[in-house]
Amino acid sequence: MTLNPISICLAPGALLGRLSADIIRYTTLLSLVTEWRDEQARQDVIATLDNLAVVAEDATDEAEILARVRAVECAADMDPADVAVTLDELVRLRDELDKAIADIRSTHLVLSGRLG
């Protein structure tokens, strides 16, 4: 993978940090297409995605949405959405997080000086 599997940076506007976990999306899609080859599995995934779409339109019952998401994960035989992180990656993430925190604090100080 050419991108950092996990990274932390400053979000546009400099008031929030942004966590990117591309490796989780990558492995999720690979899990999905692996099951997609089997016709019955594909039909099961489509049915559970359709059920999720119905509930997501309303988006008021988080428990029901989560249950439907879990059903999709089960139908697609997806792995848990976690990732192993090496010491080198942890150090890089700590450095990225420290930078994002410093930048956000700086932005808050500037804004509070303008507003205060």
Side-chain angles (χ1 to χ4, degrees):
M1 177 174 285
T2 57
L3 299 173
N4 284 332
I6 302 172
S7 63
I8 299 171
C9 65
L10 199 60
L15 296 175
L16 299 171
R18 172 165 283 152
L19 171 68
S20 175
D22 291 332
I23 190 68
I24 294 173
R25 180 179 52 218
Y26 176 84
T27 56
T28 298
L29 288 171
L30 285 181
S31 292
L32 180 63
V33 298
T34 299
E35 288 300 304
W36 204 257
R37 291 184 208 141
D38 176 81
E39 181 61 32
Q40 184 57 53
R42 180 173 42 250
Q43 294 307 315
D44 292 345
V45 170
I46 290 170
T48 56
L49 284 169
D50 285 342
N51 288 336
L52 175 58
V54 169
V55 173
E57 284 178 25
D58 187 17
T60 56
D61 186 354
E62 280 190 46
E64 183 63 24
I65 292 171
L66 181 58
R68 302 286 173 105
V69 166
R70 298 253 190 259
V72 172
E73 292 170 338
C74 183
D77 195 27
M78 292 180 174
D79 293 329
D82 59 18
V83 61
V85 184
T86 67
L87 178 58
D88 288 343
E89 290 169 324
L90 288 170
V91 170
R92 178 183 52 79
L93 287 170
R94 183 197 57 203
D95 293 345
E96 290 174 3
L97 185 56
D98 287 346
K99 181 178 181 337
I101 290 169
D103 291 347
I104 291 170
R105 279 189 179 142
S106 176
T107 300
H108 279 284
L109 288 174
V110 168
L111 289 177
S112 64
R114 287 185 193 162
L115 300 174

